[in-house]
Amino acid sequence: MAARDRYSRKLECAMCGNSGYAEVSEDDMPSRKNPDFAVDSLPRGFLTERPSKYPDKHMIRCRCGHVFKFQQKTVYAEGGEPRRR
């Protein structure tokens, strides 16, 4: 079984200001065809609108109805930056 990089990422809705930290993971093998990105848990008020194995294509829906890409300009939780080997 391949190892996974795990990290937290702050989600913030540009429409209503709802925010929280998502827990996500991806394969740490750079030779893989895709990063096998997965959202392990979402903060209250957010859900996955359209899943993807790529973080820049994974779409999130806020409770207000606003849909946005998971990978957006945002901040990482302290110590939650992706770990690279």
Side-chain angles (χ1 to χ4, degrees):
M1 187 168 149
R4 296 186 64 78
D5 283 332
R6 300 185 187 284
Y7 56 96
S8 298
R9 183 111 190 248
K10 185 176 183 182
L11 299 178
E12 189 166 9
C13 178
M15 297 298 286
C16 72
N18 183 31
S19 67
Y21 289 91
E23 300 296 322
V24 299
S25 61
E26 53 188 45
D27 195 324
D28 71 351
M29 299 289 290
S31 60
R32 281 191 57 130
K33 188 174 184 175
N34 68 57
D36 194 26
F37 173 81
V39 175
D40 301 321
S41 69
L42 285 169
R44 179 172 293 224
F46 292 100
L47 55 91
T48 293
E49 173 72 11
R50 190 171 60 232
S52 175
K53 297 292 183 185
Y54 298 91
D56 60 335
K57 295 181 180 171
H58 191 97
M59 301 299 286
I60 301 291
R61 177 182 290 275
C62 179
R63 64 181 170 212
C64 74
H66 181 63
V67 177
F68 57 94
K69 289 182 180 181
F70 172 83
Q71 193 170 30
Q72 60 178 340
K73 274 191 163 180
T74 189
V75 296
Y76 288 102
E78 186 173 330
E81 299 84 8
R83 292 178 293 281
R84 300 289 178 211
R85 295 178 185 190

